[in-house]
Amino acid sequence: MKRRLSLSLKLTLIVVLVSALIILTLTYINIRGQSSFFESNYSEKGVALKQVLDATLTFYGGLHNASVTQGYLMNISHNNPELLKININMPVGGEMMVFASSDLSEIGTMTGEYHEMSYEDDSIVYIPYHNETTHLITVIAPVNVSGEVVGTYELVFSMDRAYSVFDVQMRTLIALSVVSLFLLVFSFLFLIRRAIVTPLLKIRDAARVIGEGNLDNTIAITTKDELGDLAAAFNNMAQDLKSSREKIEEYNKMLENLLDQKDEFISQLGHDLKNPLTPLVGLIPVIQEQEKDPQIKEHLRIIMNNVEYMRDLVLKTLQLARLRSPATKFDFQPLNLSEQLVGILETQQLFLSENNMVVENKVDPSINVEADHLRLVELFNNLITNATKYTAKGGGTITINAIQEDGFVKVSLKDTGIGMNEEQLSRIFDEFYKADLSRHEMDSSGLGLSIAKRIVERHGGKIWADSEGLGKGSTFYFTLKVSQKIIKKDMDMVQEGVW
C-alpha cells in the first residue's frame, strides 16, 4: 500500500531540497571564487617578483657570478616564496638545469617540461596544487637578462595561511547557512500551514460534514484569495443543497400523500367494484348452465370472461395497494428455496401442462433464504405465469437457478419466449404495462410483474430483467437475503430425494 504524504510534508521537502541546492551552489561558487582569488593574488606576486629579479640580474651583470646570484636568492626567499630557483639552458647538451636555488640540494639537477615551455614560448606558467593540508602555487616565468631569455624562474608560494583563514570563514558560512536553512524551512512551513494547509483542512472537514448530510455547516474562511473563493463556493453550494433538499422533502411529502390517497382510492374503489362482481361470478355460471339457447349461452360465456377479468384486475389492484402499505406485515422465516420451488411447481403442474411448458429446477438444495412463504409462492407464480403467457403456443422451457453472493441469493428464471427490446425492458415492471400489445386484453392485467417487484423490495432485494432481443427469450432476476439458520429437517428430506 502506498504511503500517503501530507501536503505540509511535501511542501517541506520541496523547500528543503530547493534551499539545500541554493546553499550548495552558492558555497561551491564561493569556494571556486576564493580559490581563484588566492591563486590570482599569488600569481601576481610571482610576476612582480620575477620583474624585480630580472632588473636585479641585469644590474649585477647577468648570471656570470653564481655566488652573488645564489646569495641574492637566499636573501629573497626568507620573506617571499617557499622555494625560489633559477633554471638556465646549458650550452652543452641543451638541457635545462638548476643554476641557483633556495634549496641548495637541487642546484645542478634537471628541471621539468614546464620550464622548457616557459623558456621557449617566453610565457608564464601557473601550476596550482591542493590537497587536504597543503595549498601551493608554482609560478614558472622566463628569465630576461638584457632583453634576452636565458632560462626560467621557479617560484613556489604557500597559500596555507590564507586558506586556514578561508576554512574558518567557510565553516562559519556553512553553519550560518544551515541555521538559515532551518529558520527558512520553519518560517515557510508556518506560513504555508497558516495560509494554505489549515484552510484546506477546514474545507476538507466541511466537505465531509456536508457529505454526511449536515448542510448547516459553513467554512469560516474569509481571506481575499482563491481559498476564500473556494470556501464561499462551498458555503453557497451547501445552502443550495439545503434549499433543494427542503424542496425535495416537501415534494416527497406531497408525493407520499398522493400515493396514499391513490392507494386509499384504489382500495375503496376495489372494494366497491368487488362487491357487485362477487354475485355475478356466482350467478352467471348458474344461468349459463340453465340456458338452452346456444347464442345466449355464448353471450353469457363472454360476459363471464369479462367479469372474471374485472375481478382479477380488482383483486390485483387491491393487492398492489396492500403491498405498498406499511400496515401489511410480512412473516419472514428461513425457507429452503429448492423445497419451496418443488411445492410451487406441483401446484402449477396443470397450468404448465396445458401450455406445453417444461420447468427445469436447477436450484442447489443447500440454499436457504429469509422470506415470507406466501409472498414467495406468489412471486414465483407471477413470474412463471408471465413467462408462460409470453411463450409461443407450441410450448417452451423455463430454467430456474440460484447462486449465493454477498449475503444474498440471486435467483434467475430464463424462458424461451418472445424476448424484449431495450424500451420494453425499461418499462416491464411499470404498473399496467404490457410488453406485447398485440395480445388480447383479457390475457393480462399488466400488474403481475409490478406485484412481483413490490414483493421483492419488501424482502430487501431487487428485481430486474434481461433479454438478448426479440424472439430470443428473457431472463428475470431477483435477490433475496440468505438465511443464516440451517434448516436441518428440510435438508435431510432434500438429501433423501423427497423434493
Side-chain angles (χ1 to χ4, degrees), residues 252-264 266 316-330 375 431 450-451 453-455 457-458:
N252 283 337
K253 289 180 181 178
M254 294 173 60
L255 182 60
E256 289 290 333
N257 290 333
L258 290 173
L259 289 174
D260 292 339
Q261 292 175 14
K262 183 202 76 171
D263 289 339
E264 185 178 344
I266 289 176
K316 287 185 176 179
T317 303
L318 288 172
Q319 185 182 8
L320 198 62
R322 283 196 296 270
L323 286 172
R324 187 181 176 277
S325 173
T328 303
K329 304 299 181 182
F330 279 50
R375 304 299 180 185
E431 297 173 10
S450 300
I451 292 173
K453 182 174 183 291
R454 289 199 180 181
I455 291 174
E457 289 175 347
R458 287 294 297 269

Side-chain angles (χ1 to χ4, degrees), residues 344-453:
I344 292 168
L345 294 179
E346 286 179 354
T347 61
Q348 289 271 28
Q349 187 60 48
L350 179 60
F351 171 74
L352 294 171
S353 298
E354 290 176 348
N355 289 275
N356 235 356
M357 295 294 293
V358 176
V359 179
E360 297 179 357
N361 179 8
K362 295 186 176 182
V363 176
D364 190 328
S366 65
I367 294 179
N368 299 320
V369 296
E370 196 77 19
D372 183 301
H373 168 69
L374 295 178
R375 304 299 180 185
L376 185 64
V377 171
E378 185 177 8
L379 172 61
F380 273 109
N381 284 339
N382 281 352
L383 293 175
I384 292 172
T385 300
N386 181 78
T388 303
K389 285 181 178 180
Y390 289 96
T391 301
K393 293 298 182 183
T397 302
I398 302 173
T399 304
I400 304 177
N401 207 341
I403 58 172
Q404 288 188 206
E405 52 183 27
D406 300 328
F408 283 86
V409 174
K410 184 173 75 172
V411 184
S412 63
L413 288 87
K414 184 176 182 180
D415 62 51
T416 55
I418 62 173
M420 290 180 282
N421 56 31
E422 291 294 331
E423 195 274 336
Q424 291 170 328
L425 286 171
S426 66
R427 299 186 57 194
I428 192 66
F429 296 104
D430 292 350
E431 297 173 10
F432 301 104
Y433 177 75
K434 298 179 182 180
D436 186 3
L437 297 177
S438 65
R439 296 178 62 86
H440 193 274
E441 289 296 324
M442 298 299 115
D443 290 344
S444 174
S445 63
L447 292 175
L449 293 180
S450 300
I451 292 173
K453 182 174 183 291

Side-chain angles (χ1 to χ4, degrees), residues 215-228:
L215 301 180
D216 292 324
N217 187 65
T218 57
I219 304 173
I221 299 176
T222 57
T223 55
K224 303 297 182 181
D225 54 18
E226 289 81 358
L227 291 174

Side-chain angles (χ1 to χ4, degrees), residues 13 21 30 47 49 86 95 100 213 245 260 265 296 319 341 347 396 435 443-444:
L13 292 175
L21 181 61
N30 189 44
V47 172
L49 184 55
I86 296 177
E95 294 179 342
R245 186 173 68 179
D260 292 339
F265 171 75
I296 296 176
Q319 185 182 8
L341 190 55
T347 61
D443 290 344
S444 174

Side-chain angles (χ1 to χ4, degrees), residues 174-190:
I174 292 172
L176 290 175
S177 299
V178 172
V179 172
S180 301
L181 174 61
F182 276 105
L183 290 175
L184 177 64
V185 168
F186 285 116
S187 300
F188 190 76
L189 277 179
F190 175 77

